[in-house]
Amino acid sequence: MKVTLSALDTSESSFTPLVVIELAQDVKEETKEWLKNRIIARKKDGGAQLLFRPLLSKYEKETLENQNLYLIGASKTRLLLGAEAVGLVKECNDNTMRAFTYGTRQNFKGFHDNNDDFLTMAECQFIIKHELENLRARDEQMIPGYPQAKLYPGKSLLRRLLTSGIVVQVFPLHDNEALKKLEDTWYTRFTLKYQPIDSIRGYFGETIALYFGFLEYFTFALIPMAVIGLPYYLFVWEDYDKYVIFASFNLIWSTVILEVWKRGCANMTYRWGTLVMKRQFEEPRPGFHGVLGINAVTGREEPLYSSYKRQLRIYLVSLPFVCLCLYFSLYVMMIYFDMEDWALSLHEDSGSEWTSVLLYVPSIIYAIVIEIMNRLYRYAAEFLTSWENHRLESAYQNHLVLKVLVFNFLNCFASLFYIAFVLKDMKLLRQSLATLLITSQILNQIVESLLPYWLQRKHGVRVKRRVQALKADIDATLYEQVILEKEMGTYLGTFDDYLELFLQFGYVSLFSCVYPLAAAFAVLNNFTEVNSDALKMCRVFKRPFAEPSASIGVWQLAFETMSVISVVTNCALIGMSPQVNAVFPESKTDLILIVVAVEHALLALKFILAFAIPDKPRHIQIKLARLEFESLEALKQQQTKLVTENLKEEPQEGSKEKSA
């Protein structure tokens, strides 16, 4: 029997809550009632047709703090119809991946009418988020009770409510039972094992699962570099002839691991269905503003903003500001070198053990300053990128990533390039690289995981005491969970996590021939990083909404760019070594030409390897080609059917004309 949205009931009083909406404390009753009606209204009437109820009843609100918290859920049939609407891809009984449709649901593997696990909880919450974001204004001119919050036809109501401060936040709830099972197989037992990537994907979604998959892959890929670099560090510290072999291996390694990752990523995302998932039309981002007009592509009324004005903001404000920040970073770097000179002169004058320890202090202070500057600049970059008023979220992210990567690269590596190619002090280069790498890893572990976890534990104890003191007859477990989670920090995405790995990759690859022990420190850090990041996701931050993703996106290009830069730096460092210079005692021109030729040869080898290793395995390519062929055939059959029906109608029309 065909089920339509209009046949679904949205009046269930008891349901499994999936998402929480928190309203501001002073929201007017007419606004609450209007929002509730729009959420539970039928799709044909412009609603989301979801289930909705307050966390507290009227009596409980009088007894407890008046929390404007509301629970959102959906019936099983509504979620399945939503899965079709968002284009989720599932595995069929014939082992192919196809877009899910409610009408053919019995053809999909693992589907039964009494099976509630066909859709993961992350997918259910993603569907609800999609439906809430697609609640659009129809004939309303403003949000009821708030004349200043203007609306126009087609405007996303949730985005307007968020930007107006009426809705404080929308977040998905944790499933405590499923979370406990995930933790037991993930990070609570400190053993060397693979992460449960599929379970992470089922709970947090593809974007976060891909990050942890890449973190695990990158860590294991670093082990050969660490194993080979350790004996080099111990036995041939000053023998640059042997470092040529190590650096060459490093350059080939950096290319191969990135290409092999793309193949592994394609395998995972095909299995999850996101590799063949059709890309949704991108809506304007929440912060985008402009003069109301008609979008030439969609025909909808929406804010329009001149690209000319945006370019003026980028080139006349953002670009000079970024250049000023880069100059300030270089100025701080020169202060660091003054501190190094002071510490060195003090050590040469006294020669005591205390002053030998003091030699490391400037590098440690500089590493801390670098971390502080990176974080302050990040806030400035976010403000500037938002002020540039990009229409699409993808454009906003691309401009933000570019700003942050340029500054972080210069801020973290400028001193190392200066030491290597201006001062030409290899001993100081090794010392600075080791200090920067180790200090940044320790700071990141403390700031990103340990400190937030400690603060969250303190907050959790306070909430439990408050709930235990209640005498009201309420569902204390759910109430405690919602109150605890709403105060948790919001996970802002994988940007900072990928940035940390990107900088680590730079420390390992850029100066590998000078400090081969960097890979070993990176491996040790990443083994703890896996557990600290897992703890952060499960216990420190709110559960993020799942986001379908087919790759690590722009970060793949960032890592590949870093590997190209590493070819140039390592070739230049080897060319500067005393052993290589001794081969060309008279003609430096010949040396430069040979170094440039070797560098070009290695770059050519990198690009040949990248071309020779396909991004997708052969069996994935065949399956994708087959899906494309079947979709074209289905379209052709549909067009043939329409033509046939039109031809059948033509003779009937001709006979009518003759009889007339």
Side-chain angles (χ1 to χ4, degrees):
M1 184 180 72
K2 184 178 179 180
V3 176
T4 60
L5 282 169
S6 59
L8 295 179
D9 183 22
T10 57
S11 61
E12 295 182 32
S13 58
S14 178
F15 58 86
T16 302
L18 295 171
V19 174
V20 176
I21 292 181
E22 181 184 6
L23 302 182
Q25 288 296 329
D26 57 350
V27 173
K28 298 175 181 177
E29 287 299 323
E30 62 176 312
T31 310
K32 295 180 186 177
E33 192 64 26
W34 168 78
L35 179 60
K36 173 190 171 182
N37 291 334
R38 289 303 304 265
I39 290 174
I40 66 174
R42 300 186 185 281
K43 289 286 284 185
K44 66 178 183 179
D45 298 327
Q49 209 156 343
L50 300 173
L51 303 175
F52 178 97
R53 68 177 173 89
L55 173 65
L56 302 175
S57 67
K58 184 177 180 182
Y59 165 74
E60 291 166 352
K61 284 184 179 180
E62 294 171 356
T63 309
L64 305 173
E65 296 179 22
N66 185 14
Q67 302 281 357
N68 276 334
L69 296 164
Y70 297 86
L71 307 176
I72 309 292
S75 65
K76 178 184 173 182
T77 305
R78 178 69 186 89
L79 289 171
L80 292 173
L81 291 167
E84 179 179 349
V86 300
L88 286 186
V89 175
K90 291 287 187 178
E91 187 177 8
C92 293
N93 292 323
D94 60 358
N95 297 323
T96 60
M97 304 298 296
R98 299 181 187 280
F100 176 80
T101 58
Y102 187 82
T104 60
R105 60 192 182 280
Q106 299 295 342
N107 297 336
F108 289 85
K109 189 176 288 187
F111 181 86
H112 304 289
D113 288 329
N114 56 353
N115 179 18
D116 293 329
D117 298 328
F118 178 70
L119 296 175
T120 66
M121 190 174 182
E123 288 172 335
C124 294
Q125 291 168 333
F126 170 69
I127 291 166
I128 288 181
K129 179 194 173 197
H130 175 269
E131 295 297 340
L132 290 174
E133 287 182 341
N134 278 276
L135 272 175
R136 301 193 177 277
R138 304 185 87 183
D139 53 359
E140 303 102 327
Q141 300 296 317
M142 63 179 188
I143 294 174
Y146 294 87
Q148 73 278 10
K150 302 295 183 183
L151 295 173
Y152 53 86
K155 172 66 180 175
S156 171
L157 297 180
L158 182 62
R159 295 184 179 192
R160 172 59 74 204
L161 290 165
L162 284 166
T163 54
S164 301
I166 299 168
V167 171
V168 177
Q169 59 180 335
V170 180
F171 62 93
L173 277 173
H174 274 294
D175 180 343
N176 289 326
E177 185 179 343
L179 182 62
K180 185 68 172 65
K181 290 179 181 177
L182 177 61
E183 288 177 316
D184 288 341
T185 58
W186 194 2
Y187 72 92
T188 53
R189 298 167 188 169
F190 291 94
T191 56
L192 293 176
K193 59 181 181 180
Y194 290 108
Q195 296 179 91
I197 300 297
D198 286 332
S199 299
I200 297 169
R201 175 255 171 179
Y203 194 84
F204 288 110
E206 290 80 13
T207 299
I208 290 171
L210 278 175
Y211 163 69
F212 280 101
F214 182 73
L215 173 59
E216 178 181 87
Y217 171 82
F218 183 56
T219 303
F220 281 105
L222 281 168
I223 291 176
M225 289 295 297
V227 170
I228 296 171
L230 193 61
Y232 268 92
Y233 178 83
L234 294 175
F235 302 117
V236 289
W237 184 242
E238 297 294 343
D239 193 346
Y240 278 87
D241 295 332
K242 294 184 174 61
Y243 277 120
V244 174
I245 302 171
F246 180 72
S248 300
F249 173 77
N250 184 353
L251 301 176
I252 296 171
W253 163 86
S254 64
T255 302
V256 171
I257 66 163
L258 293 174
E259 293 302 316
V260 172
W261 161 253
K262 284 195 276 191
R263 293 170 63 84
C265 180
N267 267 320
M268 277 195 298
T269 52
Y270 178 82
R271 187 172 71 248
W272 297 339
T274 52
L275 189 63
V276 296
M277 192 173 178
K278 291 182 179 178
R279 190 168 63 91
Q280 298 284 323
F281 183 79
E282 203 170 353
E283 297 288 340
R285 54 186 296 272
F288 177 67
H289 57 85
V291 180
L292 276 182
I294 302 298
N295 186 308
V297 177
T298 63
R300 295 177 186 164
E301 189 179 27
E302 65 176 49
L304 300 178
Y305 189 76
S306 169
S307 60
Y308 175 72
K309 291 181 181 178
R310 185 180 301 115
Q311 296 301 320
L312 285 178
R313 290 187 174 192
I314 291 172
Y315 290 110
L316 296 183
V317 179
S318 296
L319 184 59
F321 177 80
V322 171
C323 292
L324 182 65
C325 290
L326 295 178
Y327 172 78
F328 181 73
S329 174
L330 294 175
Y331 181 76
V332 172
M333 181 190 75
M334 298 313 295
I335 295 175
Y336 155 66
F337 285 120
D338 290 339
M339 292 172 62
E340 283 283 359
D341 291 338
W342 170 78
L344 185 61
S345 62
L346 192 66
H347 177 65
E348 288 174 349
D349 292 341
S350 65
S352 64
E353 291 184 5
W354 181 83
T355 55
S356 64
V357 174
L358 190 65
L359 288 174
Y360 291 92
V361 172
S363 295
I364 294 173
I365 294 174
Y366 184 52
I368 295 171
V369 170
I370 283 175
E371 290 298 319
I372 294 171
M373 288 171 62
N374 283 345
R375 294 179 186 279
L376 291 176
Y377 176 81
R378 170 73 187 275
Y379 293 124
E382 287 178 348
F383 173 80
L384 269 181
T385 311
S386 179
W387 178 74
E388 288 166 6
N389 199 27
H390 295 280
R391 178 179 177 273
L392 301 179
E393 184 65 27
S394 58
Y396 171 86
Q397 289 295 333
N398 289 338
H399 281 79
L400 178 62
V401 167
L402 181 61
K403 288 187 184 71
V404 173
L405 283 187
V406 168
F407 180 81
N408 277 257
F409 182 85
L410 187 81
N411 200 29
C412 293
F413 300 120
S415 62
L416 301 178
F417 279 99
Y418 186 83
I419 295 169
F421 301 114
V422 178
L423 301 181
K424 299 182 181 179
D425 187 341
M426 295 302 118
K427 184 178 179 181
L428 179 59
L429 179 60
R430 284 194 292 268
Q431 175 190 312
S432 298
L433 197 154
T435 308
L436 288 174
L437 175 62
I438 296 169
T439 306
S440 66
Q441 290 176 345
I442 293 172
L443 286 175
N444 281 324
Q445 293 285 356
I446 294 172
V447 173
E448 290 185 6
S449 298
L450 297 180
L451 182 61
Y453 178 68
W454 178 71
L455 293 173
Q456 183 56 38
R457 283 289 297 270
K458 287 187 68 176
H459 172 69
V461 170
R462 288 198 300 269
V463 170
K464 286 184 178 180
R465 286 175 182 168
R466 191 168 64 187
V467 172
Q468 288 170 359
L470 298 175
K471 296 181 180 179
D473 183 19
I474 64 166
D475 185 354
T477 305
L478 179 60
Y479 177 78
E480 178 185 340
Q481 180 186 353
V482 173
I483 296 300
L484 185 63
E485 290 185 24
K486 88 179 184 71
E487 298 296 335
M488 286 180 169
T490 301
Y491 182 66
L492 299 176
T494 54
F495 185 98
D496 288 328
D497 299 312
Y498 278 120
L499 180 62
E500 187 180 341
L501 287 180
F502 171 78
L503 296 175
Q504 184 188 89
F505 182 65
Y507 285 124
V508 171
S509 62
L510 287 177
F511 305 98
S512 60
C513 64
V514 174
Y515 192 64
L517 207 58
F521 282 116
V523 169
L524 291 175
N525 173 78
N526 287 359
F527 276 125
T528 59
E529 184 80 16
V530 168
N531 293 292
S532 62
D533 281 354
L535 173 69
K536 178 174 70 177
M537 294 302 308
C538 295
R539 293 297 171 187
V540 175
F541 291 115
K542 292 185 190 75
R543 183 180 188 175
F545 279 106
E547 288 293 339
S549 183
S551 68
I552 63 174
V554 71
W555 292 105
Q556 181 76 36
L557 178 61
F559 277 87
E560 290 171 354
T561 304
M562 182 71 83
S563 71
V564 171
I565 298 172
S566 70
V567 173
V568 180
T569 57
N570 280 281
C571 287
L573 285 171
I574 292 170
M576 289 165 52
S577 67
Q579 290 86 348
V580 174
N581 274 267
V583 180
F584 303 92
E586 298 178 357
S587 176
K588 297 299 180 185
T589 306
D590 292 343
L591 173 60
I592 294 171
L593 290 174
I594 289 175
V595 169
V596 171
V598 170
E599 175 235 331
H600 278 61
L602 287 170
L603 284 175
L605 179 62
K606 281 178 67 69
F607 291 125
I608 289 169
L609 284 171
F611 178 77
I613 302 173
D615 292 350
K616 300 180 181 68
R618 179 65 179 164
H619 68 281
I620 298 292
Q621 293 179 20
I622 292 171
K623 289 177 179 177
L624 292 175
R626 187 182 296 137
L627 280 174
E628 186 177 0
F629 170 76
E630 289 175 356
S631 64
L632 289 173
E633 286 295 307
L635 182 62
K636 192 186 298 182
Q637 289 177 6
Q638 187 178 5
Q639 290 175 340
T640 305
K641 185 179 178 182
L642 288 172
V643 171
T644 306
E645 289 176 354
N646 289 334
L647 288 173
K648 285 180 180 178
E649 291 175 0
E650 282 183 5
Q652 295 177 359
E653 291 175 358
S655 60
K656 286 179 182 178
E657 289 175 0
K658 287 181 181 179
S659 60

